[in-house]
Amino acid sequence: MSEYSLRPLEERDLQMVLQWRNSERVHSKMLTDHKIVWEEHFAWFQRIKDNPIKRNLIFEFLGRPIGYIGYTEYDEEKGCCSPGAYLGETEVPIDAGITLFYMAVEYAFAELNMKYLETSVFRSNKIAMKIDKFLGYKEIPNSDEVFNKNGKEEVAVRMFMARDDWNEHKQGIIISL
């Protein structure tokens, strides 16, 4: 995993991240249905750029940007947030996806000092569901949410992970990676 690293999102990354985010491969897995326009994207960056707590990161392989991690629903008082991550590039090592998700969870607990994480994943996104469960997320019973994606209803499930469970579980993951 030493070939992979995280760094804070910078203004120079914005065009690249917007292109990734609006690609059909990434956009189709997002809870929101609209494509992000430049003005909206830049305004978002202006709101978050000076936050001393870095919650928007670029995932790199050997110094090359290949993905994005962001933390929403951030509640410092409760110690909870919702990590979201995606690979923007497609020409990446086979372990890039699982490493991206692993680093998103580890950063949330180790750097952001979260007590637990919650995230929503479309049931149809079998790969993300499989990775989340492998990492130790558990489905929250009766948490299904319905979203409108391209005129169709998509069901998302809410998933949960506690820091103590992660600290115990991650040792087995490192061995698997």
Side-chain angles (χ1 to χ4, degrees):
M1 281 198 323
S2 63
E3 304 95 357
Y4 295 100
S5 60
L6 298 176
R7 65 169 173 79
L9 175 75
E10 299 172 2
E11 188 168 342
R12 67 185 168 109
D13 302 313
L14 291 181
Q15 288 286 351
M16 174 185 64
V17 171
L18 181 63
Q19 183 180 6
W20 291 346
R21 169 60 176 80
N22 282 338
S23 71
E24 186 55 32
R25 184 176 51 77
V26 173
H27 177 259
S28 66
K29 307 296 188 251
M30 295 289 167
L31 299 180
T32 57
D33 201 33
H34 76 287
K35 297 273 182 158
I36 307 297
V37 297
W38 172 252
E39 294 76 17
E40 178 183 5
H41 189 58
F42 189 72
W44 163 78
F45 180 73
Q46 291 303 310
R47 287 190 308 273
I48 61 107
K49 72 177 182 169
D50 294 325
N51 190 329
I53 300 169
K54 299 304 175 197
R55 299 191 312 243
N56 297 279
L57 308 168
I58 296 295
F59 175 65
E60 296 181 325
F61 176 72
L62 297 175
R64 179 174 69 101
I66 61 171
Y68 168 82
I69 300 171
Y71 300 90
T72 60
E73 302 175 40
Y74 188 85
D75 187 330
E76 193 170 12
E77 193 172 301
K78 290 182 181 177
C80 180
C81 68
S82 178
Y86 55 80
L87 288 172
E89 299 296 325
T90 56
E91 299 293 320
V92 297
I94 195 163
D95 65 342
I98 188 73
T99 304
L100 169 70
F101 279 79
Y102 176 93
M103 290 178 82
V105 172
E106 180 64 15
Y107 185 90
F109 288 130
E111 301 298 324
L112 299 179
N113 200 30
M114 295 290 103
K115 295 176 185 167
Y116 65 96
L117 305 176
E118 287 191 17
T119 192
S120 294
V121 181
F122 285 130
R123 285 202 181 275
S124 62
N125 190 351
K126 302 293 186 200
I127 293 171
M129 290 286 289
K130 188 174 184 174
I131 291 172
D132 282 346
K133 288 181 179 181
F134 173 75
L135 291 175
Y137 278 98
K138 306 277 190 261
E139 287 188 37
I140 299 172
N142 305 312
S143 67
D144 288 1
E145 302 171 74
V146 178
F147 293 84
N148 186 0
K149 288 292 290 181
N150 299 319
K152 293 185 200 173
E153 287 188 348
E154 283 270 2
V155 176
V157 64
R158 196 77 171 155
M159 301 182 83
F160 169 90
M161 182 190 307
R163 180 174 44 207
D164 291 343
D165 293 338
W166 171 250
N167 287 335
E168 187 175 312
H169 183 73
K170 76 178 178 180
Q171 300 311 316
I173 294 171
I174 293 171
I175 293 167
S176 299
L177 294 176

